[in-house]
Amino acid sequence: MERRMKLGDYLVAYLKKIGVSHLFGIPGDLVINLFLKFGRPQGLKIITLSHEPGIGFAADGYARSTGSIGVICVTYGAGGHNMVNPVAGSFSERVPILVISGGPGEEERKLGVLIHHQAKEIESQLHIYQEVTCAAQIIDDPAHAARDIDEVIRSIWLNQQPGYLEIHRDMVEREITVPGEILSWSGDLPYPQSDRHKLDEAVRETAARLDDAQHPLVLVGIEAYRFKIAREIVKLVEKIGAPCCTSVLAKGAFPMNHALYMGVYVGAVSPPGIRRRVERADLIIGLGMFLTDIEMGGSQPPEALRHRSIWAVENRVNVSFHTYTDVTLRDFVRGLMRARLKRHREKIVYHDNLSQTPANPARRVRVADVLREINRFLAHEKTFFVVAESGDSLFGGIDVKVGGRGLYLAQGFYASMGFAVPGALGAQIGTRLRPLVLTGDGGFQMTGAEIAHAPRYKLNPIVVLLNNGGWGIFRPIAKRHDLLALPSWHYAELARLWGGRGFRVATVGQLGRALEQAAQSADFALIEVAIAPRDLSPVTLKYIRASAKKAAITTRA
Ligand SMILES: Cc1ncc(C[n+]2csc(CCOP(=O)(O)OP(=O)(O)O)c2C)c(N)n1
Ligand SMILES: [Mg+2]
């Protein structure tokens, strides 16, 4: 980085200074100069896919799995607007993403004609992105450009949410001055800071309540993972000696094989052992967890969560009915680690929603068998991580147990279909671990063709595709099944044509063998599993039953 630089060169140098190594993008004429700058030999590794949503989910998967900022470059209008859905998902699930868009230059804007890719106003795209980012700016003033870029990127890190930079094409070569403090800065981005006094008191009060409690329980939420405090939370849970569950969105934030891990809490539709233990708790410590309808299993939060809890989330700690503002999760966890805490002892059992009866290998495979077979496979394959797609696979994935680092990715709240395959590609680029993707046919038909890029980047996910011929999750509640049908692609054959291995299985034994063969292959693999149209995962079935009961109560009332 130098005192006088071209704006485009400054942006590349800034990203390298903060440790960015990859950029995900698709070019267009309004961004091509900047895009090519990123791709220079001393620049970043460029990852291109076929469609912007694929790029957005790949960058999100990269950021989720590595904890670093996922950088995206798109063209203005057609590209930028195509990217909105993945970025909205990153926003609501707190994934740090930087979107860089090109745009028309000043002279062409003055011509008085509409410019290609324009929707309403030139600023319309900025306004759209203001809704799904924590900071969004058009960089149009060379005097402030260096600081404006710095401000957006710092905000991404402080909030762990996407930010947006629009750089019109005539700005890329403009000379700017880089302020001294950015030149001499180490490149370390700061986390939010706590108020010392409030922090100390929040920790004191929590320690006192833990002292009084007989049956405390810890719920770990997604902020634990995003704010890189998950490992210290493991130590804290060990220090307290209390059982621990993760939320749906935070599955993977606590090691699934840990002796104090009970499983995933999904409110009313949790495994009965988890639901009872949460309801029996006289103190719940929520670490980085958002209360959402999915996390509560579609029901009201139980009394223990509402009245006997301490919640640390969004830079606040709520103790019963009062709030300490300006206390970050990182500082709160570290404060509790330093405090004297009563040690509890409890024998904990891991719970899922699967019966453990081994299936006859010759039997036609059901969704629950797929989950059991995946668990059997993952128990001895330690270098895999799992990505679950929205649809029945999202709820099915709750019962998947990943060993090793236990990396598990799913859009557990925003739940956009199309995330899993490109998300897995981005995450393998970031971690070099091998992905196992669990997806429905509908989710795969949205973005699954991006797997054709896997050989270019030496990526080799194993995709387990539950083919039930449509949007199966809605069948129990819809009379018109024809409205939910999808054409059945020749998935296994497509996988072979795209350079991978393809399998089509119908029995439990065939699935087990296909997984083993896929694992031995260096290429990506797709295992199409023929699923009966009405078959669904255990958690989805519980959800549907719970909603039907609720609907019946409402009708009667
Ligand atoms: C982008 C997007 N569009 C629509 C939906 C609504 N939706 C949720 S699940 C689902 C059907 C899923 O079908 P499939 O992937 O085949 O999974 P299945 O439930 O059949 O296993 C749909 C359309 C969504 N979540 N995301
Ligand atoms: Mg389906």
Side-chain angles (χ1 to χ4, degrees), residues 106-117:
E106 201 177 339
E107 289 308 315
E108 47 195 332
R109 294 199 305 273
K110 282 186 193 150
L111 289 177
V113 295
L114 294 174
I115 295 165
H116 65 289
H117 297 329

Side-chain angles (χ1 to χ4, degrees), residues 440-442 466-472 486:
D441 48 338
L466 303 178
N467 187 5
N468 55 13
W471 299 317
L486 288 167

Side-chain angles (χ1 to χ4, degrees), residues 143-388:
H144 297 159
R147 276 221 175 80
D148 290 348
I149 289 171
D150 179 59
E151 209 174 278
V152 167
I153 293 173
R154 276 172 195 267
S155 178
I156 293 173
W157 199 249
L158 285 172
N159 295 286
Q160 294 290 307
Q161 276 176 322
Y164 174 79
L165 292 173
E166 191 173 309
I167 298 176
H168 294 166
R169 61 174 159 184
D170 57 344
M171 289 295 292
V172 176
E173 299 294 330
R174 290 284 281 275
E175 287 258 329
I176 63 163
T177 303
V178 182
E181 69 268 20
I182 295 181
L183 280 173
S184 60
W185 167 54
S186 69
D188 286 340
L189 291 166
Y191 286 105
Q193 299 294 306
S194 299
D195 177 306
R196 272 281 136 210
H197 301 289
K198 295 180 188 178
L199 170 66
D200 290 347
E201 198 164 308
V203 168
R204 258 201 312 277
E205 191 176 355
T206 304
R209 289 192 183 222
L210 270 168
D211 237 8
D212 292 342
Q214 301 301 316
H215 306 291
L217 177 135
V218 177
L219 286 179
V220 176
I222 194 60
E223 277 195 353
Y225 192 65
R226 298 284 186 263
F227 286 101
K228 285 92 185 155
I229 193 77
R231 286 211 186 122
E232 283 161 80
I233 287 179
V234 175
K235 295 209 177 85
L236 177 62
V237 168
E238 287 166 354
K239 180 172 166 170
I240 301 172
C244 169
C245 297
T246 56
S247 69
V248 178
L249 183 51
K251 182 179 166 90
F254 198 89
M256 298 182 205
N257 283 323
H258 196 283
L260 290 169
Y261 184 59
M262 286 191 84
V264 180
Y265 179 65
V266 204
V269 300
S270 306
I274 292 184
R275 190 171 47 75
R276 280 196 299 268
R277 181 59 187 81
V278 168
E279 285 167 10
R280 192 166 64 91
D282 53 359
L283 180 64
I284 291 178
I285 312 270
L287 299 175
M289 179 169 159
F290 300 107
L291 285 183
T292 73
D293 56 351
I294 290 194
E295 315 288 22
M296 293 304 117
S299 301
Q300 288 283 319
E303 204 183 278
L305 253 70
R306 281 179 287 138
H307 298 319
R308 304 192 293 274
S309 59
I310 294 178
W311 288 110
V313 71
E314 294 193 287
N315 300 331
R316 293 188 311 265
V317 176
N318 293 341
V319 182
S320 293
F321 303 107
H322 57 275
T323 300
Y324 298 93
T325 52
D326 307 311
V327 179
T328 71
L329 180 65
R330 284 168 66 87
D331 292 336
F332 184 59
V333 169
R334 288 179 177 166
L336 287 172
M337 279 307 286
R338 285 191 299 269
R340 190 190 287 272
L341 299 179
K342 180 163 111 187
R343 172 104 168 81
H344 296 262
R345 276 170 220 287
E346 187 173 327
K347 201 162 159 23
I348 281 107
V349 183
Y350 173 79
H351 295 263
D352 60 22
N353 303 277
L354 301 171
S355 72
Q356 288 314 319
T357 344
N360 172 359
R363 199 186 74 202
R364 177 163 186 185
V365 68
R366 299 188 187 136
V367 177
D369 300 318
V370 175
L371 304 173
R372 265 190 299 265
E373 281 304 308
I374 288 178
N375 285 345
R376 213 157 62 94
F377 172 76
L378 292 175
H380 62 90
E381 294 281 354
K382 304 282 184 210
T383 54
F384 276 83
F385 68 98
V386 171
V387 188

Side-chain angles (χ1 to χ4, degrees), residues 393-422:
S393 295
L394 181 65
F395 295 108
I398 288 173
D399 286 328
V400 167
K401 193 173 190 189
V402 192
R405 265 179 62 191
L407 183 61
Y408 181 91
L409 308 176
Q411 278 202 341
F413 169 59
Y414 185 76
S416 173
M417 288 162 77
F419 167 75
V421 167

Side-chain angles (χ1 to χ4, degrees), residues 85 389-393 414-418 439-444 446 466 468 470-475 486 536:
N85 179 53
E389 179 65 302
S390 184
D392 186 41
S393 295
Y414 185 76
S416 173
M417 288 162 77
T439 178
D441 48 338
F444 188 85
M446 285 199 179
L466 303 178
N468 55 13
W471 299 317
I473 196 164
F474 302 126
R475 287 194 180 117
L486 288 167
L536 289 163

